[in-house]
Amino acid sequence: MVVVGVYDTPMVNNAEEILPKYWYNIIPDLPKPLPPPRDPLGAEFSRIDLLRTILPKEVLRQQLTIERYIKIPEEVRERYLAIGRPTPLLRARRLEEYLGTPAKIYFKYEGATPTGSHKINTALPQAYFAREEGIEHVVTETGAGQWGTATALSATMYGMKSTVFMVKVSYEQKPMRKSIMQLYGGEVYPSPTDLTEFGKKVRKENPNHPGSLGIAMSEAIEYALDHHLKYLVGSVLDVVILHQSVIGQETIAQLDELGEEPDVLIGCVGGGSNFGGFSFPFIGNGRGKKYIAVASAEIPKFSTGEYKYDFPDSAGLLPLVKMITMGNSYVPPPIYAGGLRYHGAAPSLSLLMKEGIVGWREYNENQIFEAAQMFMRTQGIVPAPESSHAIRAVIEEALEAKRANRKEVIVFNLSGHGLLDLPNYDSMMKRVTSNEQR
Amino acid sequence: MLVVYMTLGYPDNERYLEFMEEAVKNGADILEIGIPPKYAKYDGPVIRKSYEKVAGKFDLWSFLPETRKVIGGTKAIALTYLEDWVQELDDFLCKLKRAGLDGVLFPDLLIDFVDDYQTYSTRVREKGLNNVIFTAPSVPDKMILQVSRQSDLFLYYGVRPTTGIPLPITVSSLVTRVRNLVDNKLVVGFGLSDENDLRKALKAGADGAAIGTAFIQAIDNGGVKQAIDLVIKLRSVLDEF
Ligand SMILES: Cc1ncc(COP(=O)(O)O)c(C=O)c1O
């Protein structure tokens, strides 16, 4: 077959078969018990009890009823199909040629969904469950805006209002994300705000606080509690990775159709949801040989974080979970434009990393900028800065295969496109050029 | 199998002993005695408050043996966190044995001490005590299978991450998932005071239930009598199966 265009689309016409009927939970297949969420010592209130007020009931039920496979409600499956699932599995043939590697490189393109990232995979079912419970208004936080966008669209699809607390630096640097959320029907505030006690406290200590995902999370939860609304959760918790497992399961089916057996699986890590959703179905089913989680060297949670019980949010409204963390009061460097700013990594992923099953890399802004550019110029897609971390690891892995003359199959998750992150790339370009001139 | 939990000395020494004695008479198969820990990691507000209430009200090693006198030959196991005793474990186990207990259940054994759980298990047995192993849905299937064969008396399966909080779960799915993996008696606990939940667990194949928070609440609301009425009611539910 003659290959035309910038990428191959190996599969288009059997969507119904490729889209899984079940979500996959890796917990029953982990090498060791996953330490459970818990209340802090001497707690004056129970965070675990508070979850019942914060989360839609069915979301909490799925978080706690741990089974290997959980049926995807037919209504949610239909929505998945409607937004273009299964997403394409593409071969990055031009990148392979450019690198001169004997390795084959495939990527699962989650940027193909309407909101431009994988985040919609969990926003949809959470919104669906909330709506089924009669909830009319949901709240969440967002960093770069991908999760806020997914929430705003999903809420609107199910006839609900949404309120999004967006980390202030991103709010200022990425006005287009705010526009999309508003166009979808969401209400967006730059966090820290004066709408919550926690936000006020942070602003009192530092009126110019740039915000962080942990702070925005606490504000969203507090706001939901104050206004009797429900909170949708974008990453870290097991239920989110459960929903994201559509990514990995589709990838397995798509690779099977091609007769490919993957060797290396690579993804970027903010809270760990796209990485888990992509890689856990492989890990749990013994497919693949090497798994690489990629974070940012500017937010070096893998190299400097500790594996311990910590709060997912800054105010400590959620239960303690055991994870690799830089501490829940961590504030990322504000000039850094590469995303992946969350202070921790999902408990299940943290455990797999501690057990040596998942390896890790960290790359700095220059390295991911270079990788993004190489990918744009060979494959044509503008990757999200988050996903460019994965691309950097893919390039290094492919070059390693070239040195060793290994014909391996590398598959990575391109978690989102970067068409709304162009200001990030602009600022990276400026910093990279000025570094070069020095 | 009805496993009845009570915090040692709750609400006071006298009523605690009365409850234990009556619980046995009214159908408790096994008693679980909560020894107040420094950090009740997997306990909800009710049991945590019960620990606070009894703290400092008795001398552990002189009061604990009192239980044996009122419960006759019924099996009694201590429930406490390994974290608190790990430095002086052999001494602790010897004292438990001397106090007339039949075994011990450490809820944090498989979570915080997973790499050495077999060593600890052996040490418990060497002191002549039963080692009841605590598992939960967050324990992988392979490990549930493995430890179910090593647990004495029964295997404990806590279906919620914490005691006493009615978190939404599907009990039947959780029990069904592990039933075939458990090569032992399967006793389900954590927030199972609701009769419907209990029936679902038994229907899905559980061999028994461990109940605690509900007895403490019953004592708080209507004294030992109300708590014993609950023992009778739960016994009758179990007897349907
Ligand atoms: C495109 C994209 N990829 C990755 C991430 C990282 O999050 P997670 O690790 O939860 O997938 C984000 C987070 O906002 C994102 O927008």
Side-chain angles (χ1 to χ4, degrees):
Chain A
M1 200 185 89
V2 184
V3 178
V4 192
V6 284
Y7 51 77
D8 312 348
T9 42
M11 146 138 3
V12 274
N13 45 18
N14 50 350
E16 263 284 350
E17 274 163 52
I18 299 288
L19 182 70
K21 298 196 167 55
Y22 293 84
W23 286 304
Y24 170 71
N25 194 334
I26 197 170
I27 297 173
D29 294 320
L30 285 174
K32 281 187 186 164
L34 188 66
R38 67 192 198 196
D39 279 327
L41 175 61
E44 62 298 346
F45 67 96
S46 168
R47 274 84 177 161
I48 291 185
D49 201 4
L50 198 61
L51 287 177
R52 296 194 294 150
T53 320
I54 295 171
L55 300 178
K57 187 172 174 186
E58 182 61 17
V59 174
L60 183 54
R61 202 191 63 77
Q62 289 195 337
Q63 165 75 18
L64 300 172
T65 305
I66 301 167
E67 291 177 271
R68 192 172 274 103
Y69 287 99
I70 293 185
K71 196 161 171 39
I72 303 174
E74 211 33 62
E75 294 84 343
V76 174
R77 265 191 108 240
E78 275 166 25
R79 286 285 182 186
Y80 278 161
L81 289 166
I83 59 157
R85 298 216 72 84
T87 54
L89 178 74
L90 306 168
R91 181 155 171 203
R93 212 187 276 269
R94 304 294 170 274
L95 180 61
E96 291 167 18
E97 282 166 10
Y98 180 80
L99 296 170
T101 178
K104 286 188 202 166
I105 302 174
Y106 288 96
F107 61 101
K108 181 71 169 160
Y109 185 38
E110 287 298 303
T113 68
T115 60
S117 82
H118 65 292
K119 300 278 179 182
I120 190 98
N121 299 331
T122 185
L124 272 181
Q126 289 189 53
Y128 167 75
F129 293 136
R131 183 72 251 188
E132 286 289 288
E133 276 167 58
I135 289 151
E136 289 171 1
H137 190 154
V138 294
V139 190
T140 198
E141 76 289 334
T142 195
Q146 299 265 27
W147 169 241
T149 307
T151 302
L153 175 60
S154 302
T156 296
M157 278 182 164
Y158 288 105
M160 295 183 294
K161 286 191 192 146
S162 59
T163 298
V164 181
F165 287 81
M166 184 171 188
V167 176
K168 195 157 98 197
V169 274
S170 303
Y171 184 91
E172 284 159 4
Q173 288 168 2
K174 302 181 70 182
M176 296 217 288
R177 272 286 170 199
K178 178 189 65 189
S179 305
I180 296 201
M181 285 186 261
Q182 287 169 343
L183 287 167
Y184 280 150
E187 190 178 57
V188 190
Y189 298 109
S191 162
T193 69
D194 281 331
L195 297 169
T196 67
E197 288 309 311
F198 189 66
K200 278 186 215 161
K201 184 174 152 248
V202 172
R203 280 169 60 83
K204 203 168 155 203
E205 280 161 22
N206 175 7
N208 300 316
H209 198 294
S212 73
L213 215 47
I215 293 168
M217 219 181 222
S218 294
E219 283 211 89
I221 295 167
E222 191 186 320
Y223 191 84
L225 286 169
D226 283 351
H227 297 80
H228 305 286
L229 312 174
K230 292 287 171 180
Y231 170 74
L232 301 193
V233 51
S235 192
V236 186
L237 294 196
D238 307 317
V239 64
V240 174
I241 301 183
L242 173 84
H243 294 158
Q244 294 293 357
S245 69
V246 292
I247 305 173
Q249 293 185 82
E250 286 174 9
T251 309
I252 289 176
Q254 289 167 320
L255 286 169
D256 284 351
E257 290 243 336
L258 294 169
E260 291 286 16
E261 197 51 47
D263 296 297
V264 187
L265 292 133
I266 297 175
C268 68
V269 177
S273 75
N274 88 85
F275 182 85
F278 172 64
S279 68
F280 287 1
F282 286 92
I283 297 172
N285 290 294
R287 304 281 295 264
K289 299 187 187 113
K290 189 170 169 187
Y291 316 95
I292 306 171
V294 191
S296 146
E298 281 81 357
I299 294 113
K301 60 184 149 209
F302 295 153
S303 56
T304 69
E306 261 184 89
Y307 185 46
K308 63 174 188 192
Y309 270 98
D310 191 16
F311 291 114
D313 66 305
S314 298
L317 297 172
L318 293 172
L320 291 166
V321 296
K322 195 164 181 188
M323 61 179 179
I324 295 174
T325 173
M326 303 183 68
N328 73 330
S329 53
Y330 176 76
V331 179
I335 61 151
Y336 172 67
L340 308 180
R341 294 156 179 255
Y342 187 63
H343 66 269
S348 49
L349 172 58
S350 296
L351 186 139
L352 286 164
M353 293 180 71
K354 280 292 140 191
E355 290 301 306
I357 292 168
V358 172
W360 59 268
R361 305 278 158 79
E362 283 172 354
Y363 297 115
N364 66 32
E365 204 172 66
N366 287 359
Q367 291 171 308
I368 68 147
F369 181 72
E370 230 174 73
Q373 246 182 353
M374 195 186 291
F375 193 74
M376 288 184 227
R377 290 176 186 183
T378 51
Q379 295 299 135
I381 296 175
V382 181
E386 289 87 352
S387 320
S388 298
H389 290 76
I391 296 174
R392 177 74 197 203
V394 169
I395 292 169
E396 296 199 349
E397 196 62 27
L399 290 174
E400 183 56 41
K402 179 177 170 178
R403 276 189 289 275
N405 198 22
R406 268 198 316 264
K407 280 199 175 123
E408 61 189 20
V409 175
I410 303 168
V411 189
F412 76 98
N413 191 38
L414 186 58
S415 56
H417 71 63
L419 290 173
L420 293 162
D421 302 301
L422 297 177
N424 300 39
Y425 283 118
D426 273 346
S427 72
M428 277 190 230
M429 193 147 42
K430 283 189 198 113
R431 278 197 289 277
V432 171
T433 330
S434 70
N435 285 349
E436 275 167 4
Q437 282 164 354
R438 243 182 274 142
Chain B
M1 192 182 268
L2 177 59
V3 179
V4 170
Y5 168 91
M6 185 48 66
T7 296
L8 182 63
Y10 191 84
D12 52 47
N13 294 2
E14 206 175 298
R15 282 184 281 174
Y16 158 79
L17 290 171
E18 187 191 339
F19 173 77
M20 291 309 229
E21 184 173 6
E22 290 295 318
V24 167
K25 282 188 192 148
N26 289 285
D29 297 302
I30 294 182
L31 298 166
E32 246 185 277
I33 304 166
I35 296 176
K38 293 199 183 79
Y39 179 9
K41 286 180 269 191
Y42 314 133
D43 282 305
V46 174
I47 290 186
R48 251 192 271 158
K49 268 198 212 98
S50 79
Y51 285 143
E52 282 162 26
K53 188 160 176 188
V54 303
K57 296 260 173 72
F58 51 73
D59 171 64
L60 179 62
W61 300 116
S62 59
F63 182 59
L64 197 53
E66 300 282 316
T67 316
R68 177 54 65 201
K69 289 184 201 150
V70 300
I71 62 169
T74 304
K75 293 249 187 284
I77 56 175
L79 184 152
T80 193
Y81 291 82
L82 179 54
E83 184 179 60
D84 286 354
W85 303 101
V86 68
Q87 301 298 342
E88 39 183 313
L89 187 63
D90 289 335
D91 178 54
F92 174 69
L93 296 170
C94 286
K95 284 177 174 161
L96 275 187
K97 179 77 186 165
R98 241 179 288 138
L101 270 87
D102 299 289
V104 63
L105 187 162
F106 294 122
D108 53 346
L109 177 68
L110 282 192
I111 309 285
D112 295 333
F113 300 90
V114 62
D115 293 330
D116 303 310
Y117 84 88
Q118 273 161 324
T119 318
Y120 289 114
S121 205
T122 309
R123 281 166 72 182
V124 170
R125 293 234 188 77
E126 278 170 0
K127 295 288 176 294
L129 290 164
N130 287 297
N131 186 41
V132 179
I133 298 184
F134 176 86
T135 60
S138 60
V139 177
D141 284 6
K142 266 190 210 148
M143 193 162 229
I144 288 184
L145 173 69
Q146 195 183 1
V147 303
S148 78
R149 294 181 173 142
Q150 297 170 12
S151 188
D152 299 318
L153 306 176
F154 60 88
L155 183 82
Y156 196 118
Y157 183 57
V159 285
R160 291 183 172 84
T162 199
T163 59
I165 301 173
L167 293 161
I169 53 167
T170 307
V171 177
S172 51
S173 307
L174 290 173
V175 174
T176 306
R177 181 188 132 204
V178 301
R179 179 61 273 186
N180 290 329
L181 302 169
V182 175
D183 197 357
N184 201 332
K185 293 244 181 290
L186 173 63
V187 169
V188 178
F190 279 42
L192 272 191
S193 57
D194 180 74
E195 252 182 80
N196 279 334
D197 257 15
L198 179 55
R199 280 206 178 80
K200 281 183 199 149
L202 294 164
K203 221 180 205 162
D207 299 299
I211 317 274
T213 301
F215 296 130
I216 291 176
Q217 281 168 332
I219 287 180
D220 291 348
N221 294 336
V224 172
K225 168 145 189 341
Q226 190 170 323
I228 294 302
D229 287 345
L230 183 59
V231 172
I232 294 167
K233 190 168 112 197
L234 292 168
R235 179 76 255 171
S236 74
V237 174
L238 280 158
D239 288 341
E240 290 168 23
F241 289 83

Coordinates of all heavy atoms in Angstrom, one line a residue, chain B residues 130-169:
Chain B
N130 N -3.1 -17.5 67.3 CA -3.6 -17.5 65.9 C -3.3 -16.2 65.3 O -3.4 -15.2 65.9 CB -5.2 -17.7 65.9 CG -5.6 -19.1 66.3 OD1 -5.2 -20.1 65.6 ND2 -6.2 -19.3 67.4
N131 N -3.1 -16.3 64.0 CA -2.8 -15.0 63.2 C -3.9 -14.8 62.2 O -4.0 -15.5 61.2 CB -1.5 -15.1 62.5 CG -1.1 -13.8 61.9 OD1 -1.3 -12.8 62.4 ND2 -0.5 -13.9 60.7
V132 N -4.8 -13.9 62.5 CA -5.9 -13.6 61.6 C -5.4 -12.5 60.6 O -5.1 -11.4 61.1 CB -7.2 -13.2 62.3 CG1 -8.3 -12.9 61.3 CG2 -7.6 -14.3 63.3
I133 N -5.4 -12.8 59.4 CA -4.9 -11.9 58.4 C -6.0 -11.0 57.8 O -7.1 -11.4 57.5 CB -4.1 -12.6 57.3 CG1 -2.9 -13.3 57.9 CG2 -3.6 -11.6 56.2 CD1 -2.0 -14.0 56.9
F134 N -5.7 -9.7 57.8 CA -6.6 -8.7 57.3 C -6.4 -8.4 55.8 O -5.2 -8.1 55.4 CB -6.5 -7.4 58.1 CG -7.3 -6.3 57.6 CD1 -8.6 -6.2 58.1 CD2 -6.8 -5.3 56.7 CE1 -9.5 -5.1 57.6 CE2 -7.6 -4.3 56.3 CZ -9.0 -4.2 56.7
T135 N -7.4 -8.5 55.0 CA -7.3 -8.1 53.6 C -8.4 -7.1 53.2 O -9.3 -6.9 54.0 CB -7.4 -9.4 52.7 OG1 -8.7 -9.9 52.9 CG2 -6.4 -10.4 52.9
A136 N -8.3 -6.6 52.0 CA -9.3 -5.6 51.6 C -9.3 -5.6 50.1 O -8.4 -6.3 49.4 CB -8.8 -4.2 52.1
P137 N -10.2 -4.9 49.4 CA -10.3 -4.9 48.0 C -9.0 -4.4 47.3 O -8.7 -4.6 46.2 CB -11.5 -4.0 47.6 CG -12.4 -4.1 48.9 CD -11.4 -4.2 50.0
S138 N -8.2 -3.6 48.1 CA -7.0 -3.1 47.5 C -5.8 -4.1 47.6 O -4.7 -3.8 47.2 CB -6.6 -1.8 48.3 OG -6.4 -2.1 49.6
V139 N -6.1 -5.3 48.1 CA -5.1 -6.3 48.1 C -5.2 -7.1 46.7 O -6.4 -7.5 46.4 CB -5.2 -7.3 49.3 CG1 -4.2 -8.4 49.2 CG2 -5.1 -6.5 50.6
P140 N -4.2 -7.3 46.0 CA -4.3 -8.0 44.7 C -4.8 -9.4 44.9 O -4.5 -10.1 45.9 CB -2.9 -7.9 44.1 CG -2.0 -7.5 45.2 CD -2.8 -6.8 46.3
D141 N -5.4 -9.9 43.8 CA -6.0 -11.2 43.9 C -5.0 -12.3 44.3 O -5.3 -13.2 45.1 CB -6.6 -11.6 42.5 CG -7.9 -10.9 42.3 OD1 -8.3 -10.0 43.1 OD2 -8.6 -11.1 41.3
K142 N -3.8 -12.3 43.7 CA -2.8 -13.3 43.9 C -2.5 -13.4 45.4 O -2.3 -14.5 46.0 CB -1.5 -13.0 43.2 CG -1.5 -13.7 41.8 CD 0.0 -13.6 41.3 CE -0.1 -13.5 39.8 NZ 0.9 -12.7 39.2
M143 N -2.4 -12.2 46.0 CA -2.1 -12.2 47.4 C -3.2 -12.6 48.3 O -3.0 -13.3 49.3 CB -1.6 -10.8 47.8 CG -0.9 -10.7 49.1 SD 0.0 -9.2 49.2 CE 1.5 -9.8 49.7
I144 N -4.4 -12.3 47.9 CA -5.6 -12.8 48.7 C -5.6 -14.3 48.7 O -5.8 -14.9 49.8 CB -6.9 -12.2 48.1 CG1 -7.0 -10.7 48.4 CG2 -8.1 -12.9 48.7 CD1 -8.2 -10.0 48.0
L145 N -5.4 -14.9 47.6 CA -5.3 -16.4 47.5 C -4.2 -16.9 48.4 O -4.5 -17.8 49.2 CB -5.0 -16.8 46.0 CG -4.8 -18.3 45.8 CD1 -6.0 -19.1 46.0 CD2 -4.2 -18.5 44.4
Q146 N -3.1 -16.3 48.3 CA -1.9 -16.8 49.1 C -2.2 -16.7 50.6 O -2.0 -17.6 51.4 CB -0.7 -15.9 48.7 CG 0.6 -16.4 49.1 CD 1.7 -15.4 48.6 OE1 1.4 -14.4 48.1 NE2 2.9 -15.7 48.9
V147 N -2.6 -15.5 51.1 CA -2.7 -15.3 52.5 C -3.9 -16.0 53.1 O -4.0 -16.3 54.2 CB -2.7 -13.8 52.9 CG1 -1.5 -13.1 52.5 CG2 -4.0 -13.1 52.5
S148 N -4.9 -16.3 52.2 CA -6.1 -16.9 52.7 C -5.8 -18.3 53.3 O -6.4 -18.8 54.2 CB -7.2 -17.0 51.6 OG -6.9 -18.1 50.8
R149 N -4.7 -18.9 52.7 CA -4.3 -20.2 53.2 C -3.5 -20.1 54.5 O -3.3 -21.1 55.1 CB -3.5 -20.9 52.1 CG -4.3 -21.2 50.9 CD -3.5 -21.9 49.8 NE -4.4 -22.3 48.8 CZ -4.0 -22.3 47.5 NH1 -2.9 -21.8 47.1 NH2 -4.9 -22.7 46.6
Q150 N -3.0 -18.9 54.7 CA -2.1 -18.7 55.9 C -2.8 -18.1 57.1 O -2.2 -18.0 58.1 CB -0.9 -17.9 55.5 CG 0.0 -18.6 54.4 CD 1.0 -17.6 53.9 OE1 1.3 -16.6 54.4 NE2 1.6 -18.0 52.8
S151 N -4.1 -17.7 56.9 CA -4.8 -17.0 58.0 C -5.4 -18.1 58.9 O -6.0 -19.1 58.4 CB -5.8 -16.1 57.4 OG -6.4 -15.3 58.4
D152 N -5.4 -17.8 60.2 CA -6.0 -18.8 61.1 C -7.4 -18.4 61.4 O -7.8 -17.2 61.3 CB -5.2 -18.8 62.4 CG -3.8 -19.3 62.2 OD1 -3.5 -20.2 61.5 OD2 -2.8 -18.6 62.8
L153 N -8.2 -19.3 61.8 CA -9.6 -19.1 62.1 C -10.5 -18.7 61.0 O -11.5 -19.3 60.7 CB -9.8 -18.1 63.3 CG -9.0 -18.4 64.6 CD1 -9.2 -17.3 65.6 CD2 -9.4 -19.7 65.2
F154 N -10.1 -17.7 60.3 CA -10.8 -17.2 59.1 C -10.0 -16.1 58.4 O -8.9 -15.7 59.0 CB -12.2 -16.6 59.5 CG -12.1 -15.4 60.4 CD1 -12.0 -14.1 60.0 CD2 -12.2 -15.6 61.8 CE1 -11.9 -13.0 60.9 CE2 -12.1 -14.5 62.7 CZ -12.0 -13.2 62.2
L155 N -10.4 -15.7 57.2 CA -9.7 -14.6 56.6 C -10.6 -13.3 56.7 O -11.8 -13.4 56.4 CB -9.5 -14.8 55.1 CG -8.7 -13.7 54.4 CD1 -7.2 -13.8 54.6 CD2 -9.0 -13.7 52.9
Y156 N -10.1 -12.3 57.2 CA -10.8 -11.0 57.3 C -10.7 -10.2 56.0 O -9.7 -10.0 55.5 CB -10.2 -10.2 58.5 CG -11.2 -9.1 59.0 CD1 -11.6 -9.1 60.3 CD2 -11.5 -8.0 58.2 CE1 -12.5 -8.1 60.8 CE2 -12.4 -7.0 58.7 CZ -12.8 -7.1 60.0 OH -13.7 -6.1 60.5
Y157 N -11.9 -9.8 55.6 CA -12.0 -9.0 54.3 C -12.7 -7.7 54.6 O -14.0 -7.7 54.8 CB -12.6 -9.8 53.2 CG -12.7 -9.2 51.8 CD1 -11.6 -8.8 51.2 CD2 -13.9 -9.1 51.2 CE1 -11.7 -8.3 49.9 CE2 -14.0 -8.6 49.9 CZ -12.9 -8.2 49.2 OH -13.0 -7.7 48.0
G158 N -12.0 -6.6 54.7 CA -12.7 -5.3 55.0 C -13.1 -4.6 53.8 O -12.3 -4.2 52.9
V159 N -14.4 -4.5 53.5 CA -14.9 -4.1 52.2 C -14.8 -2.6 52.0 O -15.0 -2.1 50.9 CB -16.3 -4.6 52.0 CG1 -16.3 -6.1 51.7 CG2 -17.3 -4.3 53.1
R160 N -14.6 -1.8 53.1 CA -14.5 -0.4 52.9 C -13.1 0.1 53.4 O -12.5 -0.6 54.3 CB -15.6 0.4 53.7 CG -17.0 0.1 53.1 CD -18.0 1.0 53.9 NE -19.4 0.9 53.2 CZ -20.2 -0.1 53.4 NH1 -20.0 -1.1 54.2 NH2 -21.4 0.0 52.8
P161 N -12.6 1.2 53.0 CA -11.3 1.6 53.4 C -11.2 2.0 54.9 O -10.2 2.2 55.5 CB -10.9 2.8 52.5 CG -12.2 3.3 52.0 CD -13.2 2.2 52.0
T162 N -12.4 2.2 55.5 CA -12.4 2.6 56.9 C -13.6 2.1 57.6 O -14.6 1.8 56.9 CB -12.3 4.2 57.0 OG1 -11.8 4.6 58.2 CG2 -13.6 4.9 56.7
T163 N -13.6 1.9 58.9 CA -14.7 1.4 59.6 C -15.8 2.4 59.9 O -15.5 3.6 60.0 CB -14.3 0.8 61.0 OG1 -13.7 1.9 61.8 CG2 -13.3 -0.3 60.9
G164 N -17.0 2.0 59.9 CA -18.1 2.8 60.4 C -18.7 3.9 59.6 O -19.6 4.6 60.0
I165 N -18.1 4.1 58.4 CA -18.7 5.2 57.5 C -19.4 4.5 56.4 O -18.8 3.7 55.7 CB -17.6 6.1 57.0 CG1 -16.8 6.7 58.2 CG2 -18.2 7.2 56.1 CD1 -15.6 7.5 57.7
P166 N -20.7 4.8 56.2 CA -21.5 4.1 55.2 C -21.1 4.5 53.7 O -21.9 5.1 53.0 CB -22.9 4.4 55.5 CG -22.8 5.7 56.2 CD -21.5 5.7 56.9
L167 N -19.9 4.3 53.4 CA -19.5 4.7 52.0 C -20.2 3.8 51.0 O -20.4 2.6 51.3 CB -18.0 4.5 51.9 CG -17.1 5.4 52.7 CD1 -15.7 4.9 52.9 CD2 -17.0 6.8 52.1
P168 N -20.5 4.4 49.8 CA -21.3 3.5 48.8 C -20.4 2.5 48.2 O -19.3 2.9 47.6 CB -21.7 4.6 47.8 CG -20.7 5.7 47.9 CD -20.3 5.7 49.4
I169 N -20.7 1.2 48.3 CA -20.0 0.2 47.6 C -21.0 -0.9 47.2 O -22.1 -0.9 47.7 CB -19.0 -0.5 48.6 CG1 -19.6 -1.0 49.9 CG2 -17.8 0.3 48.9 CD1 -18.8 -2.0 50.7

